[in-house]
Amino acid sequence: MPNDQKTNLLVGCAAGFSGDRTDAALPVVQALIASGQPAVLIFETLAERTLALAQLARRTDPDAGYEPLLVDLLRPVLAQCLAHGVRIVSNFGAANPHGAARRIHALAAELGLSRPRIAVLQGDDLSGPEHRALLQGALGSAMPTEPIVSANAYIGAQAIADALREGADIVVCGRVADPSLVLGPALAHYGWALDDWDRLARATMAGHLLECGAQVTGGYFADPGYKDVAGLAQLGYPIAEIDADGHCTITKPPGTGGCITERTVKEQLLYELHDPAAYLTPDVVADITTARVTTVGADAVRLEGVQGHARPATLKVNVCFESGWFAEGEISYAGSRAEARARLAGEVLRERLQGLGQLRIDLIGVTSIFGDDTSRWLDDPAAGDAHNDPRDVRLRVALQHRDHAIAQRLVREVTALYTCGPAGGGGVRTAMRPRLGTVSCLVPRDAVAVRFEMVEPALQPLEVSP
């Protein structure tokens, strides 16, 4: 990518998780292009459970396993990004980065675009049998006895930077650390040394501010009357301007909703941060205890003062494994004495399903969300708000069990409440899905071989769904 170190790098984010809005990218890309500065667009679409689900999808279809919304995310902006030199970096490869690259090539062909240069990162996937000994040594007695669904190391930014330096228009990753999606382009642009800890830490925290998308522009922040956010329905997604020392200014596209204030930035800065003095990433250990957050304009907040320390000698690995089945069912009761009827239905289910395992029973609208009410909600009506006599209550019951047939008992019993339960029950909804367990460990850095390769388009057009 261009290496004009006198020109600040812009990195825009257009997704913060799998399932995020698909109309966010266009305003971000238009703002990046209008700036005339070197620019990169990132999509952050991966989480621990997302990756395991992607592996399950690939079991069913070897061509699947990447971000399901890949085409919806890219179609509105791919042409403009390629035409104006806006690079794209994302972890939407999930469990099948090569499949994602093939789909992007197919999309470019469908749109009549010139062939993009796509780099695919490899090395994070440790789920194969050749890695069992490594995982066993790291996990010890915590090693799952159940079939492993996914095992992925959090890799860092270096391979992303290398791919961009080799001329990649698009870099497709699997499990990289979220901030590395931003640090990689900064490394490529400025040519920082891999032990320039302060600069690496500053750009890492810029990535941390961007990685959740609209959370730093007012999403997941708004609280009417306390933290008001205008235009929540049309949130603008964030852009970081990163300078040669790694400091950044967070903005958003003009004319979009939401806000960027010191409060939104501070909330996101602390989000999922276990130790502000030692935020561990594959690239650096970041220390924000000396950070400064200051307003520098309308919807423009600057982050400075982050310090860095040597990166860890190990990489984190998440291992997801099959863990039985999760069953749940819901039914509604409305009108007079709705809560009493819903409680009675819960009592029926508790008696009918006794001995099968621990039930989770909630009265949505009366007592739910908080786990500490699970054992007392039936026995103590005061645990809910009995004085308000709610007239619309939904009973939810859930059970997890290793045996599919036993878990399915819950589904049948909830359905039977139509005629075997209290008066007026309706709107039954049930679900059964595989349950995944997760354990984490640390492995030596040199045990994970990270690399990238350029992926050429298929010689024959792929037959793919839109």
Side-chain angles (χ1 to χ4, degrees), residues 388-405:
N388 286 339
D389 186 25
R391 298 173 61 83
D392 186 347
V393 179
R394 189 156 180 85
L395 174 71
R396 174 191 178 269
V397 186
L399 171 71
Q400 57 191 41
H401 203 283
R402 297 189 182 280
D403 190 317
H404 182 276

Side-chain angles (χ1 to χ4, degrees), residues 25-334:
L26 187 56
V28 174
V29 169
Q30 290 172 338
L32 295 177
I33 293 171
S35 74
Q37 297 174 230
V40 173
L41 177 69
I42 70 165
F43 296 90
E44 201 289 285
T45 65
L46 200 57
E48 291 75 17
R49 181 174 173 82
T50 312
L51 188 51
L53 294 175
Q55 287 284 11
L56 291 175
R58 194 175 184 185
R59 287 184 183 181
T60 304
D61 178 2
D63 290 328
Y66 53 82
E67 168 56 43
L69 294 176
L70 173 66
V71 171
D72 294 317
L73 292 168
L74 286 182
R75 188 186 295 275
V77 297
L78 184 58
Q80 291 191 44
C81 286
L82 295 176
H84 294 276
V86 176
R87 308 294 181 90
I88 298 172
V89 178
S90 178
N91 53 19
F92 46 39
N96 191 1
H98 280 88
R102 290 192 295 269
R103 185 63 187 98
I104 297 169
H105 274 307
L107 175 62
E110 292 168 17
L111 298 176
L113 305 176
S114 59
R115 184 177 71 189
R117 297 197 72 197
I118 302 177
V120 169
L121 262 61
Q122 296 178 288
D124 66 290
D125 190 347
L126 305 181
S127 59
E130 67 274 20
H131 302 294
R132 286 295 188 272
L134 174 66
L135 298 179
Q136 180 69 66
L139 286 166
S141 61
M143 181 73 174
T145 57
E146 300 86 348
I148 289 177
V149 174
S150 65
N152 293 83
Y154 285 73
I155 61 178
Q158 183 178 354
I160 295 174
D162 291 343
L164 291 171
R165 291 190 188 108
E166 286 295 314
D169 300 306
I170 301 170
V171 181
V172 178
C173 310
R175 178 70 282 175
V176 298
D178 298 345
S180 301
L181 298 173
V182 173
L183 177 57
L187 279 172
H189 180 68
Y190 290 114
W192 298 326
L194 293 176
D195 60 355
D196 192 343
W197 304 123
D198 284 346
R199 288 186 172 91
L200 267 59
R202 293 163 190 163
T204 290
M205 296 316 297
H208 181 68
L209 291 176
L210 293 192
E211 70 185 57
C212 292
Q215 281 190 192
V216 77
T217 63
Y220 204 66
F221 172 87
D223 190 350
Y226 177 59
K227 297 185 296 182
D228 292 309
V229 176
L232 205 61
Q234 303 297 331
L235 277 174
Y237 281 52
I239 297 170
E241 182 173 1
I242 303 171
D243 67 21
D245 286 322
H247 303 300
C248 70
T249 300
I250 306 298
T251 62
K252 67 183 184 68
T256 58
C259 61
I260 296 177
T261 68
E262 292 180 23
R263 296 173 77 191
T264 68
V265 169
K266 288 177 181 178
E267 277 203 13
Q268 180 58 31
L269 195 62
L270 294 171
Y271 179 74
E272 294 184 337
L273 208 66
H274 178 262
D275 183 352
Y279 176 42
L280 304 177
T281 79
D283 304 297
V284 66
V285 177
D287 178 354
I288 67 167
T289 57
T290 57
R292 300 182 299 277
V293 176
T294 54
T295 302
V296 294
D299 290 317
V301 173
R302 185 161 176 81
L303 173 65
E304 296 179 309
V306 174
Q307 295 181 322
H309 307 288
R311 66 187 186 181
T314 55
L315 296 177
K316 179 182 176 180
V317 177
N318 276 345
V319 181
C320 290
F321 55 93
E322 295 179 8
S323 185
W325 294 86
F326 179 80
E328 64 179 332
E330 298 178 5
I331 185 170
S332 289
Y333 294 90

Side-chain angles (χ1 to χ4, degrees), residues 338-351:
E339 182 180 342
R341 286 181 281 128
R343 287 180 181 277
L344 177 56
E347 291 170 356
V348 169
L349 292 174
R350 187 162 69 171
E351 181 175 344

